[in-house]
Amino acid sequence: MNGFIHSIETMGTVDGPGLRYVVFTAGCPLRCKYCHNPDTWNIGNGREVSVNQILDDYDKYRLFLKNGGITVTGGEPLVQIDFLIELFKSAKDKGIHTCLDTSGATFSNKGERYKKFIELSKVTDLVMLDIKHIKPDGYYELTKGNLDETLAFLDFLSKKETYCDVWIRHVIVKGYTYKKDYLYELGYHLGGYKNIKALDVLPYHIMGESKYAALGLEYPLKGMEAMPKENAIKARKIIEAGIVKRLMDDKK
Ligand code: SF4
């Protein structure tokens, strides 16, 4: 089966455990204001490759990747779920650890699409789930997407039949997500899940800004400064306080 990819990174260090072979797929239904990969949005701009081509290429680096595996990110990989399932199935057949980096956008717990997600869960070792905002209206304002899909996907991954380990990612952006109440609420929500194994709180950065001009697009957060790392540490503490509160409440 063929898919459309934006690019490949052969020695990724921040996209899952160990050294990773990272596939950036093309196509994304969201429009995050801080997106640093706007060149991945359009699936039509992707390069067509087959599952076998990717895994043959992976084999060239296999020795270095033995404590890591393959990560598929984007764009939004779930846009090409059939390709993703085939790629992960073939990777698992070869004993490769599989990680999906996603926002959960396009998740559905209905019909044929739901069946595909069940199939995907069977061949995915780890999901890095980016929860972009904990309030539905804030989520829409920041991404033009639907928070329900993300949270329903998290729920799905916590069920016995479709269980996957999850690492949560959350980007803090001034005026959008960097607010005490939101961070605490996010933590309180996360505290209800036993399949969450890690939490990454990432400060907003401006590295993607230059790509917008090259694509003839206006950068939505023009003029906003990068968030200091110390603020990510502060935000993490607030999220953790929410998690602890939830754990205590659930024990009552
Ligand atoms: S989900 Fe990722 S690729 Fe899509 S718009 Fe948001 S940041 Fe960009």
Side-chain angles (χ1 to χ4, degrees):
M1 173 174 284
N2 290 358
F4 293 87
I5 65 163
H6 169 270
S7 56
I8 283 173
E9 195 183 318
T10 53
M11 297 283 168
T13 54
V14 294
D15 302 284
L19 273 182
R20 319 267 326 163
Y21 184 94
V22 186
V23 179
F24 293 80
T25 56
C28 183
L30 300 189
R31 290 295 177 265
C32 304
K33 286 188 192 292
Y34 56 72
C35 180
H36 55 273
N37 289 325
D39 44 344
T40 65
W41 287 346
N42 186 349
I43 194 167
N45 291 343
R47 173 166 63 91
E48 190 170 358
V49 292
S50 70
V51 165
N52 287 342
Q53 277 173 306
I54 291 180
L55 292 179
D56 286 350
D57 191 46
Y58 181 96
D59 277 339
K60 294 184 200 158
Y61 307 95
R62 201 172 175 130
L63 258 183
F64 301 101
L65 302 166
K66 64 180 189 306
N67 295 322
I70 190 163
T71 295
V72 181
T73 181
E76 174 48 68
L78 294 175
V79 167
Q80 299 185 64
I81 193 166
D82 295 321
F83 173 67
L84 189 58
I85 292 168
E86 281 309 307
L87 177 59
F88 278 6
K89 261 189 194 161
S90 304
K92 292 308 303 167
D93 286 346
K94 286 169 153 266
I96 300 170
H97 181 274
T98 55
C99 172
L100 165 65
D101 180 13
T102 178
S103 68
T106 78
F107 175 75
S108 168
N109 47 22
K110 290 192 187 84
E112 285 306 308
R113 189 136 180 99
Y114 181 60
K115 286 187 197 152
K116 289 183 182 179
F117 275 95
I118 293 174
E119 231 183 306
L120 179 63
S121 71
K122 306 287 175 223
V123 287
T124 305
D125 292 311
L126 175 67
V127 174
M128 299 176 83
L129 182 64
D130 190 350
I131 302 182
K132 293 169 185 292
H133 203 298
I134 196 58
K135 294 283 192 195
D137 50 352
Y139 192 95
Y140 182 79
E141 189 192 0
L142 189 60
T143 70
K144 292 280 174 280
N146 179 356
L147 174 65
D148 288 350
E149 292 175 346
T150 305
L151 297 186
F153 190 44
L154 175 59
D155 224 37
F156 168 84
L157 297 169
S158 71
K159 304 276 183 254
K160 197 172 160 210
E161 312 72 46
T162 50
Y163 181 96
C164 284
D165 283 348
V166 173
W167 291 9
I168 298 292
R169 281 181 156 176
H170 186 63
V171 179
I172 48 163
V173 191
K174 191 177 167 193
Y176 291 90
T177 56
Y178 190 56
K179 288 189 183 166
K180 197 174 170 195
D181 290 357
Y182 295 164
L183 294 166
Y184 190 82
E185 187 174 334
L186 173 66
Y188 195 82
H189 190 84
L190 298 180
Y193 291 91
K194 293 191 172 52
N195 57 333
I196 296 176
K197 304 297 175 193
L199 167 68
D200 264 346
V201 182
L202 307 164
Y204 164 75
H205 65 72
I206 51 174
M207 281 189 294
E209 196 169 340
S210 56
K211 290 186 186 172
Y212 283 76
L215 292 168
L217 299 169
E218 187 156 340
Y219 185 59
L221 299 182
K222 205 175 170 76
M224 186 183 286
E225 288 178 11
M227 178 73 79
K229 280 194 184 134
E230 306 80 69
N231 291 12
I233 297 168
K234 279 186 209 158
R236 187 188 169 91
K237 285 197 174 130
I238 299 168
I239 296 172
E240 284 171 352
I243 293 174
V244 170
K245 176 75 168 83
R246 176 62 179 271
L247 293 173
M248 288 189 326
D249 286 353
D250 285 353
K251 267 192 188 162
K252 281 178 193 164

